[in-house]
Amino acid sequence: MNGTSEGPSAPAGTSSGAPPAPVTERHAAASGAPAVADAALRRGTPRPDASSSELRDYRAAFNAATLPMAVVDGRGQILRANEALGGLLGTATSALARQQACELLDLTSDDRTWLAYREVLQGRRSRFRCTRRIKHPDGRSLWAEVTVVPMTGTSAAEPARVLLTIADISDRRELQERLRHLQMHDPVTRLPNRTLFFERLAAALETPPYQDDSPADRQHTRIGLCYLDLDGFKAINDTLGHRTGDRLLAAVAGRLTDCAENDASGAFGGNRLVARLGGDEFAILVEDSAGTQELTDLARSVLAALQQPFDLAGQRFSVSASIGVVERPAAGTSPTGLMQAADTTLYWAKADGKGRWTLFDPERNAHRMTRQSLSSTLRPAVERGEFTLEYQPLVGMADGVLRGVEALVRWNHPQFGMLAPNRFVGIAEEDGSIVQLGRWVLRTACRQARRWQLDHPDEPPLFISVNVAVRQVWDSDLVADVAEILAETGLAAGLLQLELTESAVMGSGGRPLRALQALSDMGVRIAIDDFGTGYSNLAYLSRLPVSVLKLDGAFVRGFRYEDGTHPSPADETIVEAMVQLAHRLGLTVTAECVETAGQAERLRRIGCDTGQGWLYSRAVAPERIAGLIGSRPLEG
């Protein structure tokens, strides 16, 4: 038997430690027993003026009552039971005498119930009620509500007694269970819904699978989750209607249930729950998982099952799903943490191309968390002055003399240390903070170039090259910003070079093209960075206000001697053709990633104008650049 108990119901006007007040006839009637008989029995002895015939009437009423009742002494033994109780328990009424009521009704199954029952027997509690499941003699089980209340005798020396009553609440309980089922299940698919899923998940993480598990065994208990949604389901709803969509969801639910229940390998025995979390999102919870292999095998079987066409009312459908798979020890895992990991992994599956499963990767997640942390602190970091600039020399290929520098931004992050641009520039472009950061970089670089010019008046001034994101052209007035900064710093427009990637420049029209043209008219040089890796639509070069091509380092790296004797002739041919074309269009060419003297010599022979790379210098602090101005050729 099992059930629930409820706490005490203290009478009004009494303290918690006071003896219980006598139960009146009105109280007895409220409990379901016949008022007259109950009142006499609860007093324990007949009234002084009660006749023997009146006492017989009370006992007859007690025995004839349809509500099962018993009088129990302070030790818990049944003194008298009525016929209804005997019929309920399938025992002769006389055989119930002197039996322990707690054993007949399973009141010792949990400590809380047993303690409350004993307090009523000892007169320290005014009422006790609990629910128990009782086996009927005909084999069926019924739910019974057991109520125990004290009976008061006529004298203090009389032994304490209690009245025990039992009410059949099976119909009420069944109704409650039906209502709970409706509340906890999805009406479309008949699967457990989100509420029941999280209830089951919380229970699985809080309760070990086997009550006799040792603490060491519990540490090895694992849990797994396949979190999936259908790819392109919205299009089916929009085009064919929600009725067809609901039919498809019900069919998908059936296949998911089959996959969860029918393990083809027979190697895994984890308890599995399939639930619909909402929309076209489903989850398969695997309790007591056997490991990652079980979850990935389950994900594969789900994908294979869903790839089979669905036939619904004469219409044939094909669907796919993306699945996020998480499997980990249950110890230390929370429902929120598990669902966050599953949601992240589902996003990866969709980003990786959909129609696939993806396993949770802690390292990839750490990178994502780091990215989120950087994104949330990027804007304030500009205001706090956490960014700095380093400068990499741009050297004339013919003479090795320093001609200019490229400004490269670094983030001196208080937690992650010095970060290169590839760690945060993409984030800045996504959230728009690149406008604020780019304006700071442009102002700082121009100010530094002007300072070098003033400090070395006898040397040819260096030009400064600054990278510009295409979002800076769209989301700000770049032309006005450049004009303001040049006027503020006193740097000549011809000493400023703005670098945009090939993918950003090629196909530019409207506002970006007008901005580039206005900057070029001011005298600012426009350079295409990483040329040769994007669209490489050479027809645009004649129509854009571009003055410099920066060849992508992939071409220059091909100039190395792969086997010690022969470099790549194809790369040299391509670079030579691009250099000749650029010169005929009046453009200068800069080669990136120059690392060896052999590369530099071949680029010089081809006709490249300037070079940039570790052969000359890495990106360095502005003080180091000052020491290179007017020095001997930089090429080693």
Side-chain angles (χ1 to χ4, degrees), residues 74 175 331 492 591:
L175 178 59

Side-chain angles (χ1 to χ4, degrees), residues 336-408:
T336 300
L338 187 67
M339 290 307 300
Q340 285 178 342
D343 187 63
T344 297
T345 313
L346 175 60
Y347 170 80
W348 293 343
K350 287 191 169 294
D352 292 343
K354 300 183 179 180
R356 67 189 64 208
W357 60 267
T358 299
L359 183 65
F360 180 77
D361 181 356
E363 184 175 343
R364 185 175 180 180
N365 187 59
H367 177 74
R368 181 184 68 89
M369 298 299 291
T370 301
R371 183 180 176 87
Q372 290 179 344
S373 175
L374 294 179
S375 177
S376 64
T377 58
L378 207 157
R379 289 179 185 272
V382 179
E383 301 171 359
R384 290 194 297 263
E386 294 178 3
F387 291 92
T388 186
L389 292 184
E390 292 182 345
Y391 302 88
Q392 187 170 29
L394 293 160
V395 178
M397 298 297 296
D399 53 13
V401 173
L402 181 64
R403 300 294 174 82
V405 293
E406 179 181 354
L408 299 172

Side-chain angles (χ1 to χ4, degrees), residues 210-233:
Y210 307 109
Q211 294 298 326
D212 58 349
D213 278 351
S214 67
D217 291 333
R218 295 175 190 177
Q219 291 297 320
H220 293 89
T221 302
R222 304 184 68 85
I223 194 163
L225 178 63
C226 288
Y227 183 34
L228 65 112
D229 76 357
L230 305 181
D231 300 325
F233 176 75

Side-chain angles (χ1 to χ4, degrees), residues 68-82:
M69 294 186 293
V71 178
V72 180
D73 65 15
R75 294 173 299 175
Q77 290 184 347
I78 295 177
L79 299 178
R80 178 176 292 124
N82 67 357

Side-chain angles (χ1 to χ4, degrees), residues 105 107 128-132 144-148 164-167:
L105 300 176
L107 300 181
F128 164 68
R129 179 180 291 125
C130 69
T131 302
R132 281 293 179 270
E145 185 177 75
V146 180
T147 304
V148 185
L164 183 149
T165 61
I166 302 175

Side-chain angles (χ1 to χ4, degrees), residues 207-343:
T207 307
Y210 307 109
Q211 294 298 326
D212 58 349
D213 278 351
S214 67
D217 291 333
R218 295 175 190 177
Q219 291 297 320
H220 293 89
T221 302
R222 304 184 68 85
I223 194 163
L225 178 63
C226 288
Y227 183 34
L228 65 112
D229 76 357
L230 305 181
D231 300 325
F233 176 75
K234 184 178 182 299
I236 295 177
N237 257 350
D238 292 343
T239 57
L240 301 175
H242 287 274
R243 175 172 294 185
T244 300
D246 287 349
R247 289 175 179 171
L248 179 59
L249 289 175
V252 168
R255 293 194 184 180
L256 294 180
T257 302
D258 290 342
C259 290
E261 294 178 350
N262 303 323
D263 178 20
S265 68
F268 307 117
N271 192 12
R272 298 174 177 182
L273 173 74
V274 182
R276 182 189 178 197
L277 302 187
D280 60 345
E281 295 181 356
F282 296 85
I284 304 178
L285 177 67
V286 180
E287 301 177 42
D288 195 21
S289 161
T292 301
Q293 186 66 43
E294 177 179 4
L295 271 296
T296 55
D297 285 351
L298 177 59
R300 288 190 187 94
S301 67
V302 167
L303 289 180
L306 295 182
Q307 286 173 359
Q308 300 300 317
F310 290 85
D311 291 315
L312 302 175
Q315 292 181 298
R316 197 171 176 84
F317 299 95
S318 294
V319 298
S320 65
S322 300
I323 307 177
V325 180
V326 183
E327 202 280 339
R328 58 179 54 173
T333 297
S334 67
T336 300
L338 187 67
M339 290 307 300
Q340 285 178 342
D343 187 63

